[in-house]
């Protein structure tokens, strides 16, 4: 049989049940959810499903935030949907790499655009980043996930986790920052000379500064969340 035959393609790509539980990585870029009840998923992330599953879109930004922020934040990353029922659900987000994390009474902050799915046992709270004035664009919020259960986050290409230790702060580009440990509170700082040096145009370079004891996950890719301040 030719290695390029249709049968060979089907055997290489056919869905297989790995028996891993609620969340399974069907491929590095495709999450299989073996649904028997309810989960939260990023709005617009459904690729396919079978079984009896109902979807209900719900703006997570409706959790008590002012209309000013609702207006300022837009895009698919701003809302989750409930998937309810029994069946198999496939989720993906622009071909990004998917990471499943099993939280055990732990907490993690995830960039609002990089949270793909979570169990309903996980509490999720919207947190707005400080110093948003003059930087308003699509991704200024993050979501604090805490409790016990599974979450799935996404990264463009292979993520890198950096340890943050006392006396050794980590500085990151907000557009490349995926997630960080729940005990860290990043601060924003600006670096005019750095922005000028790398030739990205006028204005300030916005950076995130993490200090304390924890970790921060970055991706080798800059998603455009912040518009330049002028």
């Amino acid at each position: 049989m030719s290695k390029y035959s249709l049968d060979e393609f089907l055997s290489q790509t056919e869905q297989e049940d790995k028996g891993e539980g609620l969340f399974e990585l069907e491929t590095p870029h495709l999450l299989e959810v073996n649904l028997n009840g309810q989960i939260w998923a990023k709005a617009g992330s459904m690729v396919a499903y079978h079984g009896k599953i109902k979807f209900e879109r719900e703006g997570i930004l409706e959790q008590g935030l002012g209309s000013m922020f609702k207006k300022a934040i837009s895009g698919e990353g701003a809302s989750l949907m409930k998937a309810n029922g029994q069946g198999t659900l496939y989720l993906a987000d622009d071909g990004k790499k998917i990471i499943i994390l099993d939280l055990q009474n732990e907490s993690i902050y995830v960039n609002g655009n990089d949270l793909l799915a979570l169990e309903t046992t996980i509490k999720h709270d919207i947190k707005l980043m400080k110093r948003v004035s003059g930087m308003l664009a699509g991704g200024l919020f993050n979501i604090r996930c805490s409790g016990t259960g599974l979450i799935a986050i996404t990264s463009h290409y292979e993520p890198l986790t950096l340890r943050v230790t006392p006396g050794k702060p980590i500085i990151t580009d907000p557009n490349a920052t995926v997630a960080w440990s729940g005990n860290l509170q990043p601060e924003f700082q600006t670096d005019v000379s750095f922005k000028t040096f790398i030739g990205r145009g006028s204005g300030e370079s916005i950076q995130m500064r993490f200090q304390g004891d924890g970790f921060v996950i970055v991706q080798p890719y800059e998603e455009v969340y912040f518009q330049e301040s002028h």
Side-chain angles (χ1 to χ4, degrees), residues 85-155:
Q86 288 185 314
T88 306
L89 172 62
Y90 298 95
L91 303 174
D93 185 14
D94 286 341
K96 294 198 289 185
K97 183 179 175 67
I98 298 168
I99 302 105
I100 298 173
L101 299 174
D102 187 356
L103 301 186
Q104 297 293 321
N105 199 25
E106 296 163 302
S107 63
I108 185 171
Y109 283 95
V110 184
N111 182 293
N113 200 45
D114 296 321
L115 182 63
L116 180 64
L118 64 154
E119 283 193 80
T120 53
T121 54
I122 296 289
K123 185 181 180 192
H124 59 284
D125 297 308
I126 288 282
K127 303 290 181 184
L128 278 160
M129 296 184 184
K130 294 175 183 174
R131 291 200 54 185
V132 296
S133 176
M135 314 176 213
L136 291 174
L140 294 176
F141 64 96
N142 50 70
I143 301 170
R144 188 175 194 269
C145 297
S146 57
T148 297
L150 296 170
I151 69 170
I153 66 175
T154 59
S155 165

Side-chain angles (χ1 to χ4, degrees), residues 28-29 94-99 154-160 178 217-223:
H29 313 283
D94 286 341
K96 294 198 289 185
K97 183 179 175 67
I98 298 168
I99 302 105
T154 59
S155 165
H156 282 279
Y157 310 107
E158 295 292 330
L160 175 68
V178 173
I217 303 170
V218 293
Q219 62 184 4
Y221 183 94
E222 292 176 64
E223 295 185 66

